Structures are given as C-alpha cells and as structure tokens.
Amino acid sequence: MIAAKQDPGRPSLIDRFNSTWHERTMWLFTFIVFSHWIEHIVQSIQIYWLGWPRPEALGFLGLALPWLVRSEWLHYGHALVMLLFLLLLRRGMVGRPRLWWDITIGLSIWHHLEHFLLLAQVMFGFTLFGKAAPTSILQLVIPRVELHLFYNAIISLPMVIAMALHMNPTKTERKAMTCTCGRHVGRLHRA
C-alpha cells in the first residue's frame, strides 16, 4: 500500500480541527450535545409530567420517527459520535482543560462500551443477566431513562468545565493554544 504524502507546508486534517477549525467544530459539537440533552429532558417530561408510559416517551425525535429512537443503532451511533468528537478535538485542549477533557473521554469510553453491549445483544439476538430485553451493566441498578440522564450529566459536567476553561485560558495556556478559541486569543495570535 502506498501512503499518501503530506505536504510539509500544509497542516494535516487533525491539525486543522485543532487549530483553524477548532472553534467552529467545538460549536458544532456543543449543538449536538445540547440537542441530545433536550431529547432526554423531553423524554423525562413525557414520563414524569405528562404521565406517558415509558415505551411511548421517545422525545421529540420519537414523535416523528419512533422506529429510529427505538433502534439501538441510533443510541450506539450517538455514543460513538460523542467519543469521536472528544478524541478529534483533544489535541486543541491544553493546560487545565486537557485534564477535564480526558476525564470526559474516559467516561465516554465507558458509555460507548455500555451502548456497544446493548447493540451486540440486539445484533446477535441474546440478552444478558437473564433479562427479557437488552440490558447494559449499570441498567441493572438504574432504569434506562434515568441512566441516560445520569450518563449525560456525568459526561457533560467535566466537558463543560473543560470548555469553560478553554474559552477563558490563562496566559500560559493562551501561548500553548493552536486555535482561536477563548477570549482575545485571536487578537493575540495576530499580534
């Protein structure tokens, strides 16, 4: 196999995602995370305030496409996209934000493995733990809707801390940053 040659004067795709495209990609990622949160909050409202049965409480997306929301592929796909975005944008995080970003990645790996376990049960037609439906490990102690709210919270908290620190870097972090994220960073890089 012949490897593609990288133009030494042109940054790689990963480098661009962590420099010139970092801020825009972070905003796209934030939109994806926020949209996912809204879906879970709407689902909780449907269950706890509107009294809908759990199988019918599928969020906004589930009202239009119930088959999609019931699909483990959607949930696995979202966990995979989250993990890929976190890994893709990691290099752009320096200093204090990197620690919080890495914590988020660790939690997302576990979340991804839980969804992989659910998807494998659906794909191969088996269930674990003697359950009637596919079940993840933590689902043994926390019902699925509440578990996903928990996962979203525990993953979002360090991610939001990382983003807040990244957008408000110290002078040392500013010097190490390769992106235009953060207050006054763009002006500093042009100077």
Side-chain angles (χ1 to χ4, degrees):
M1 173 184 268
I2 300 173
K5 290 185 179 181
Q6 171 71 32
D7 180 355
R10 186 170 186 202
S12 71
L13 190 60
I14 296 291
D15 289 337
R16 283 182 271 176
F17 273 111
N18 287 283
S19 59
T20 55
W21 300 346
H22 198 253
E23 189 169 3
R24 283 175 280 182
T25 308
M26 290 283 282
W27 281 111
L28 172 64
F29 182 49
T30 301
F31 174 78
I32 291 168
V33 170
F34 183 71
S35 299
H36 188 73
W37 257 111
I38 288 175
E39 280 296 312
H40 281 292
I41 290 168
V42 168
Q43 184 183 30
S44 296
I45 290 169
Q46 290 168 338
I47 293 169
Y48 293 110
W49 288 356
L50 300 177
W52 292 12
R54 285 176 182 259
E56 292 175 27
L58 302 173
F60 281 132
L61 187 59
L63 294 175
L65 303 167
W67 60 271
L68 181 62
V69 173
R70 287 187 180 106
S71 165
E72 280 305 329
W73 281 104
L74 174 73
H75 301 284
Y76 174 77
H78 177 74
L80 180 61
V81 166
M82 286 281 298
L83 185 56
L84 290 175
F85 263 99
L86 288 165
L87 292 170
L88 177 70
L89 297 169
R90 182 178 183 269
R91 200 181 297 172
M93 295 294 187
V94 296
R96 300 166 304 151
R98 173 68 71 89
L99 169 66
W100 292 100
W101 202 255
D102 286 348
I103 290 169
T104 306
I105 289 172
L107 294 167
S108 291
I109 289 170
W110 173 259
H111 185 219
H112 174 262
L113 291 174
E114 288 265 278
H115 276 292
F116 181 78
L117 182 62
L118 289 166
L119 181 62
Q121 290 173 72
V122 169
M123 286 177 58
F124 298 110
F126 69 92
T127 60
L128 297 174
F129 316 113
K131 299 292 184 178
T135 304
S136 68
I137 294 168
L138 285 183
Q139 204 174 331
L140 293 170
V141 292
I142 304 172
R144 187 163 179 153
V145 171
E146 291 79 3
L147 178 59
H148 280 88
L149 285 170
F150 170 74
Y151 272 136
N152 281 303
I154 201 165
I155 289 170
S156 294
L157 181 62
M159 184 176 65
V160 167
I161 292 170
M163 288 178 167
L165 292 171
H166 184 67
M167 293 302 201
N168 297 287
T170 64
K171 286 182 183 182
T172 305
E173 290 165 350
R174 239 182 233 136
K175 288 177 185 176
M177 289 172 76
T178 57
C179 63
T180 59
C181 300
R183 297 184 180 145
H184 314 294
V185 173
R187 226 178 328 148
L188 290 172
H189 285 291
R190 284 190 288 260

